[in-house]
Amino acid sequence: PEPNATLREPLADEVFLDTPDYYFENSRKIKGIVRYALAHDYDYLLRLDDDTFFWPERLGEYLPQIEGNDYVGASTDSKAKFHPGGCLFLSAHAMRLVEGSNLGNWADDVWIGDVMKKHGVPLTGLITSDGRDAIQMAWGNEYVVDETLNTTDLLAAHSCRPAIMRAYYGRDHKAEE
């Protein structure tokens, strides 16, 4: 089939966009997602990688840190140049900046960071109640998380293999019983 051919009709909770679906087209894909969000009057967009475990039930406690900020994500490091794409939030203002910008780096998180920097939009990191980063997104040896990660109060953890996602899900749901 054609690269963008729809093989089936979308389910009720799905939206199919007319964008390329290749890894090296990530910036083009996010631009399509942003166009859709703006056309439907979204106030914020949450962008998650498919290897990120997200705790939606914890989102409410982080809304005060998200609301009123345009570009929110993992990094609380003042030297960081962008929020890694594992988990980041864009306000409507930030989405308009992305939508109005020429495509840059194929890596959408890097490109979004460049757009935000060009427009003077600061990075805002999310912090847990005990002062840790609320989004686990590390480089080097800590890039891939394992089941020993302290996930208490985390909003998201990246990068997770499927077995780790199942372990987090099982652990969290066992605790609810």
Side-chain angles (χ1 to χ4, degrees):
E2 292 297 315
N4 293 331
T6 301
L7 302 178
R8 63 174 173 76
E9 290 298 313
L11 300 174
D13 62 347
E14 291 179 316
V15 175
F16 291 167
L17 300 174
D18 187 23
T19 62
D21 195 21
Y22 301 105
Y23 186 70
F24 291 104
E25 294 286 355
N26 281 349
S27 291
R28 195 174 310 279
K29 284 191 283 189
I30 197 68
K31 197 162 188 172
I33 292 167
V34 161
R35 277 194 194 115
Y36 177 88
L38 289 171
H40 291 83
D41 297 321
Y42 284 32
D43 293 323
Y44 282 88
L45 173 72
L46 166 58
R47 184 248 187 257
L48 291 170
D49 274 352
D50 59 0
D51 60 347
T52 300
F53 193 90
F54 184 77
W55 286 267
E57 67 276 8
R58 298 177 185 168
L59 182 57
E61 71 186 84
Y62 291 102
L63 286 179
Q65 293 183 57
I66 297 167
E67 292 173 332
N69 291 299
D70 293 314
Y71 180 43
V72 182
S75 182
T76 56
D77 181 351
S78 62
K79 294 177 285 212
K81 296 180 181 178
F82 68 97
H83 287 307
C87 179
L88 63 87
F89 295 85
L90 298 174
S91 70
H93 171 69
M95 287 188 278
R96 285 189 293 274
L97 295 175
V98 167
E99 201 278 327
S101 295
N102 292 327
L103 293 172
N105 192 311
W106 64 267
D108 60 316
D109 52 358
V110 175
W111 173 59
I112 289 169
D114 290 344
V115 170
M116 296 302 116
K117 183 176 181 180
K118 175 183 174 188
H119 292 281
V121 177
L123 287 84
T124 302
L126 295 178
I127 307 296
T128 64
S129 59
D130 63 358
R132 296 181 300 135
D133 286 335
I135 300 170
Q136 165 64 32
M137 178 64 222
W139 302 106
N141 293 337
E142 296 175 355
Y143 182 76
V144 177
V145 297
D146 62 28
E147 62 276 356
T148 65
L149 176 68
N150 176 4
T151 61
T152 305
D153 296 331
L154 287 184
L155 182 59
H158 178 272
S159 167
C160 300
R161 293 185 174 107
I164 299 306
M165 289 188 176
R166 286 190 291 277
Y168 290 166
Y169 183 84
R171 181 172 62 198
D172 292 347
H173 285 80
K174 188 176 209 175
E176 292 173 4
E177 294 173 359

